Amino acid sequence: MIDNNIIQSLGAGSGIDTANLTKQLTEIERAAPQNRIDTKRDKAETQISDFGLVSNAMAILQDAANVLSEPEGLFSKSASFTQSSALVPVELDTDVQAGTYTFTVEEVASSQSLTSTSFSDPSDAVGEGVLTFRFGNATADGLGAMLATDGFSQDLEAEEVNITIDSTNNSLEGLRDAINDAEVGVQASIVNDGLNGYVLQITAESGSNNELEISVVEAGGSPSNNDSAGLSRFTFNETASQLTQQQGGRDAELTINGLTVYRESNTIDDIVEGLQLDVLESDPGTPITITITDDKAFAEQNIRDFVEAYNIFLEAITPATGTTEREDEDGDKEKVIGSLANDALAKSMLSQIKTVISSAIPGLADSSFTSMGAIGIRTELDGTMSIDNETFDKAFDEHFEDIQKLFAPHTATSDNSIYINSYNDNTAAGEYEITATTTPSRGAYAGGALGGITAFPNFDTTGQVYEFTLEVNGTATDTITLAEAVYADHDAMAAAIQAAINTDSNVSDDGSSVTVAYDSDNNRFDIVSNKYGSSSQISILTAHTDIETDLGLAVATGTQGTTTAGTVNGTAGFGS
């Protein structure tokens, strides 16, 4: 009996290539799993590529949507105006009120200009000491000297500036640079007059209340401070005017729809909010009409661009997320399913976009439109959008403000005591019922009755020491000193106290500020924090006897502010 089996048959001498057979059997065994791996890899690579395609298409659509949500997209204005060499509109913001405005330019704003005596060279010494610049309204005689009586009325809210001249900058050039380096709106330049030599020209900011008074305290043992030698050559005050006023400061004077208005500068942006004007020359009595209208054509084109961008978006992503047709090698049409057609993330994204496009927008109960369909933007069977021009144009003609509400963020409140000051991308559109159970308030300090030597009008504080320190919203001030001056009335004194507190570096660095007002019923000054909430409080920590006796500002803790409380749609909320 001869035993045999396949193993023996494949042995040596059988003539069968066992090594090659084994290799082929191994490849056959591996082929199916490898094909599955290759297929998954190809699909993953295709999906990655298609996600990039979708992302790029989304970016284009988002850019078009952002144009509508930005103020310029739907709220742009256009202006037509009378050609004039006196007044020119130079900037138009989106918040400017549409309407017709008629201006005249009666006067152009000008800057006070002072010049010194002549020097033979810009490097000539000018003398050492300190110049003090005060700002306000100056009156000069026909020779350019300040009047000795009632020649200057100081602006008590403007901080005076000290310019020091010592051995390091004792020259005409050094004085010029010291003034310019102070950066207080005063410009100094050296001018060769072509006749006598070099003069220092000092130019203030434009406006009648930005004019300069300059006093000098000279260095040395026996300073004169007011004569025509040394640093005194740069005085300009009621006692001595060594500088000569070449031109006085003046406000621009205009009329708008018959109302006379004054501004310090010839660049004006606060007569009509959102409209900036340049005053070039006076032309009394000559009307200049500026008509401002909504730029509906620009807004309409931006909406049409958005519809086009949406359709381009759909066309771009369809090969990746939908089903398309193509010809095979034989010319027959075959359907191709996109790699993301069944991807949950891609389907969810597309569904959300379509829902936003077609759904009614909450929070527009006061509007004529709550969806894009209401203004003629339709969704076709293939998912693309089209515009019914008749409905679309009618909506623009009759309800443009409601179209703005439909596309751009819009807030409104039925209660004037509630102000919506901010929102972000996470804010859900809709209506919210707000109930305030606690009204917010600001911290305040009530002063004592005025007494001592206090006497208005024209209260002269010369010789009195008005020094005190406060705590404003938890921040202590440095020692605050009120300048010795003549205060025209209670309001002028209140303004000086307010300016002194608000310019304290500790207070300003903390972002705090106060309002000071005279209470005529109680004959006192009240100091109120401009911050709301329980952290708002004003306290006087130290006070000199003079300020306590005369102005009633004594050491005391003020009333603490309160934090608002209430509910939003029945849920408890709080604020500051």
Side-chain angles (χ1 to χ4, degrees):
M1 176 178 179
I2 300 175
D3 286 335
N4 198 358
N5 56 43
I6 191 169
I7 299 301
Q8 291 173 328
S9 298
L10 294 177
S14 66
I16 298 175
D17 187 349
T18 55
N20 186 48
L21 179 60
T22 302
K23 179 181 178 182
Q24 291 179 13
L25 290 173
T26 302
E27 289 176 350
I28 292 171
E29 183 70 22
R30 293 174 55 188
Q34 186 62 48
N35 287 338
R36 289 194 296 271
I37 293 172
D38 292 344
T39 300
K40 288 182 178 180
R41 182 187 62 212
D42 293 343
K43 181 179 180 180
E45 289 176 350
T46 301
Q47 286 183 322
I48 291 172
S49 175
D50 285 346
F51 267 121
L53 181 150
V54 171
S55 178
N56 291 336
M58 273 292 296
I60 296 173
L61 179 62
Q62 189 172 27
D63 287 344
N66 286 341
V67 169
L68 297 179
S69 64
E70 293 171 354
E72 293 79 6
L74 292 175
F75 295 88
S76 289
K77 301 292 194 298
S78 60
S80 60
F81 52 92
T82 307
Q83 292 297 320
S84 169
S85 59
L87 182 73
V88 177
V90 293
E91 189 172 311
L92 203 62
D93 291 340
T94 58
D95 57 352
V96 65
Q97 179 64 44
T100 298
Y101 306 91
T102 300
F103 295 87
T104 65
V105 179
E106 305 301 313
E107 292 282 359
V108 176
S110 60
S111 301
Q112 180 197 39
S113 174
L114 306 173
T115 56
S116 70
T117 56
S118 298
F119 291 78
S120 60
D121 192 89
S123 62
D124 287 351
V126 295
E128 298 181 14
V130 177
L131 298 93
T132 299
F133 288 10
R134 296 182 181 88
F135 301 88
N137 180 256
T139 304
D141 60 22
L143 299 176
M146 183 181 288
L147 297 182
T149 302
D150 297 329
F152 186 71
S153 176
Q154 184 178 358
D155 179 1
L156 298 175
E157 294 188 14
E159 191 173 352
E160 59 184 44
V161 178
N162 293 323
I163 305 294
T164 300
I165 302 300
D166 54 27
S167 60
T168 64
N169 59 354
N170 183 8
S171 67
L172 195 62
E173 292 173 322
L175 175 57
R176 175 200 61 192
D177 294 343
I179 294 172
N180 291 334
D181 290 345
E183 296 183 348
V184 292
V186 178
Q187 175 186 322
S189 55
I190 297 173
V191 179
N192 184 344
D193 65 10
L195 182 64
N196 298 312
Y198 298 89
V199 298
L200 183 70
Q201 185 175 60
I202 300 175
T203 306
E205 289 187 322
S206 62
S208 61
N209 208 41
N210 291 324
E211 295 177 306
L212 292 169
E213 177 211 62
I214 304 175
S215 59
V216 173
V217 176
E218 292 182 313
S222 56
S224 61
N225 298 339
N226 292 305
D227 64 11
S228 58
L231 201 59
S232 298
R233 288 173 287 182
F234 301 94
T235 57
F236 186 74
N237 53 57
E238 292 179 348
T239 302
S241 293
Q242 302 300 339
L243 294 176
T244 301
Q245 178 171 291
Q246 304 294 344
Q247 173 180 284
R250 185 172 57 201
D251 289 342
E253 179 185 345
L254 303 88
T255 67
I256 172 173
N257 296 342
L259 174 67
T260 300
V261 294
Y262 299 88
R263 292 296 185 271
E264 294 180 343
S265 170
N266 289 318
T267 297
I268 302 171
D269 60 6
D270 61 349
I271 292 180
V272 177
E273 183 179 359
L275 173 64
Q276 182 173 312
L277 306 167
D278 275 355
V279 178
L280 304 178
E281 63 181 41
S282 61
D283 192 5
T286 302
I288 302 143
T289 300
I290 300 176
T291 301
I292 299 171
T293 57
D294 291 311
D295 195 344
K296 293 183 180 181
F298 183 68
E300 178 182 338
Q301 188 58 51
N302 286 333
I303 294 176
R304 290 183 181 277
D305 289 346
F306 171 75
V307 171
E308 182 180 0
Y310 179 76
N311 291 336
I312 292 173
F313 164 76
L314 286 183
E315 182 180 357
I317 68 170
T318 297
T321 61
T323 301
T324 56
E325 285 189 348
R326 71 178 181 187
E327 290 186 358
D328 59 17
E329 295 177 352
D330 299 327
D332 297 328
K333 293 190 177 296
E334 63 177 359
K335 289 186 177 181
V336 179
I337 299 175
S339 68
L340 302 178
N342 297 313
D343 183 83
L345 177 61
K347 292 171 67 176
S348 174
M349 176 206 68
L350 190 55
S351 174
Q352 289 181 51
I353 292 174
K354 290 181 176 180
T355 298
V356 169
I357 293 295
S358 61
S359 297
I361 299 174
L364 294 179
D366 63 338
S367 175
S368 302
F369 314 118
T370 59
S371 69
M372 288 195 290
I375 65 170
I377 300 178
R378 316 293 191 201
T379 300
E380 303 296 339
L381 293 176
D382 61 357
T384 60
M385 289 196 298
S386 63
I387 296 177
D388 180 335
N389 287 314
E390 182 178 352
T391 304
F392 190 68
D393 293 343
K394 183 178 180 181
F396 261 87
D397 291 340
E398 299 179 2
H399 302 285
F400 182 61
E401 288 187 2
D402 289 338
I403 290 179
Q404 292 172 324
K405 295 176 185 178
L406 184 65
F407 286 94
H410 168 71
T411 61
T413 173
S414 60
D415 189 336
N416 291 334
S417 65
I418 298 176
Y419 174 71
I420 304 170
N421 58 19
S422 65
Y423 53 85
N424 57 38
D425 292 341
N426 296 320
T427 304
E431 296 183 358
Y432 298 86
E433 182 178 347
I434 298 176
T435 303
T437 56
T438 301
T439 302
S441 66
R442 298 178 290 175
Y445 170 93
L450 306 189
I453 67 167
T454 306
F456 290 99
N458 299 322
F459 174 35
D460 189 351
T461 66
T462 302
Q464 297 299 98
V465 180
Y466 290 162
E467 293 182 348
F468 63 113
T469 61
L470 300 89
E471 188 173 74
V472 179
N473 304 336
T475 298
T477 67
D478 293 327
T479 298
I480 294 174
T481 303
L482 300 183
E484 295 182 26
V486 176
Y487 295 87
D489 51 29
H490 296 92
D491 291 339
M493 176 61 78
I497 297 171
Q498 177 177 308
I501 295 172
N502 289 339
T503 55
D504 176 82
S505 59
N506 295 342
V507 173
S508 59
D509 289 348
D510 189 50
S512 297
S513 62
V514 303
T515 299
V516 180
Y518 173 66
D519 180 351
S520 58
D521 292 336
N522 297 292
N523 189 31
R524 73 187 188 202
F525 290 112
D526 292 337
I527 307 174
V528 182
S529 169
N530 289 334
K531 177 182 179 181
Y532 286 88
S534 58
S535 62
S536 171
Q537 190 167 26
I538 305 292
S539 300
I540 293 186
L541 305 179
T542 64
H544 191 277
T545 303
D546 288 351
I547 199 170
E548 179 178 351
T549 302
D550 297 348
L551 303 184
L553 301 182
V555 174
T557 300
T559 303
Q560 186 178 18
T562 55
T563 299
T564 188
T567 61
V568 179
N569 287 347
T571 302
F574 62 92
S576 60

